[in-house]
Each structure stands twice: as structure tokens, then as C-alpha cells.
Amino acid sequence: MSFLNGNKFADRQAAAANARKAMAEKFLANSKYDPADPAVIEREAKRKAILEARVVRDAERAKRKAEEAATEAERRAAEEAARQEQLRLEAVAREAEAQRQRELDEQVEYERKLERDARYAARKERKKKRKSASERYG
């Protein structure tokens, strides 16, 4: 317990001031920044080398990304061209199938017409063969 040690407020205040003064002297005793100092020059050189390496890496990364983007664009263009060609071929095949179906329908219709005409001709022939009432009873 500090109040039992006989420390007064003024003593504690003086001790704190002395501690602050000692810290300030210690800080001021350190050498200031000297650009000609070999350690400072070495640190700055390392920092500059790191920055230059970062710039080079960023440039390489950007170049790689651009190449990948170009490759992806080419791939997409090729896929789109293949898809368009596939659609064109499918359209041609559909048109050919439709044409074949139309021809088949025309042929079936022609055959139906021939059958109908044959039935009509047969009916006329039967009517001709039928004797009239005067011919029958003479």
C-alpha cells in the first residue's frame, strides 16, 4: 500500500516527471534519420528491389491474364462457330426431311387420286354394261 510508504502526491508526480524526462532523453539520444547511413541505404535498396519485383510480377500477371482472356475468347468464338454450323446443318436436315415428307405426301395423294379415278371409271363401265329397260325386255 503506497499510502503507508509515506509517498506524497508531490513525490509521485516528481517520479512520473522524471520517468517522462528519461524516456524523452532516451528517444532523443537515438540517431536521427541519416540518408547517408549504410544501413539506411541498404534498407532502401532492399525496399526498392522488392517494389521493382512486385511491379514485374504484376506486369507478368497482367500479361498472363490477357493471354488467358484472348485464349478464352478464341475458344468461345470457336464454340459459337461450331454451334452456328451445327444449327445450320440441323436446319438443312429439317428442310430436307420436310421436302421428303412433301414429296411422299404428294405421291400418296396422287395414288389416292388414281384409285378414285379407277373406281369412277369402273362405275361408269358398269353403268354402260347395264342394259337399259328396253334392251332388257326387248
Side-chain angles (χ1 to χ4, degrees):
M1 295 192 184
S2 62
F3 66 89
L4 296 177
N5 293 340
N7 289 340
K8 302 283 187 226
F9 178 71
D11 294 338
R12 289 194 311 265
Q13 220 174 11
N18 287 337
R20 280 195 299 275
K21 187 176 178 183
M23 285 178 61
E25 288 174 359
K26 180 180 174 186
F27 177 74
L28 294 175
N30 288 340
S31 63
K32 298 278 186 190
Y33 175 76
D34 183 15
D37 186 20
V40 171
I41 292 173
E42 182 181 347
R43 277 196 314 265
E44 287 182 359
K46 285 181 183 178
R47 190 174 298 129
K48 190 178 287 186
I50 290 170
L51 289 175
E52 289 172 358
R54 184 178 298 151
V55 168
V56 169
R57 282 193 315 269
D58 288 346
E60 289 174 356
R61 185 179 304 122
K63 181 180 175 185
R64 194 170 51 247
K65 278 189 176 184
E67 290 172 355
E68 289 173 359
T71 304
E72 180 68 17
E74 289 174 7
R75 184 187 63 80
R76 285 185 182 171
E79 285 178 357
E80 181 63 21
R83 190 178 71 78
Q84 291 295 331
E85 181 64 18
Q86 182 67 26
L87 290 174
R88 187 188 67 79
L89 291 175
E90 288 174 0
V92 167
R94 278 194 308 273
E95 182 60 33
E97 178 62 25
Q99 179 64 26
R100 189 185 67 73
Q101 187 64 38
R102 280 193 300 270
E103 290 172 359
L104 186 63
D105 291 346
E106 287 174 5
Q107 182 182 0
V108 168
E109 187 65 30
Y110 180 72
E111 289 172 358
R112 284 183 188 159
K113 184 178 177 192
L114 287 179
E115 289 174 0
R116 187 184 66 228
D117 289 350
R119 283 193 312 268
Y120 180 71
R123 189 169 48 243
K124 281 192 104 138
E125 192 63 33
R126 282 194 310 270
K127 282 185 179 182
K128 276 187 185 179
K129 285 185 180 178
R130 227 188 273 164
K131 296 181 182 178
S132 67
S134 64
E135 291 175 349
R136 269 188 265 161
Y137 302 111

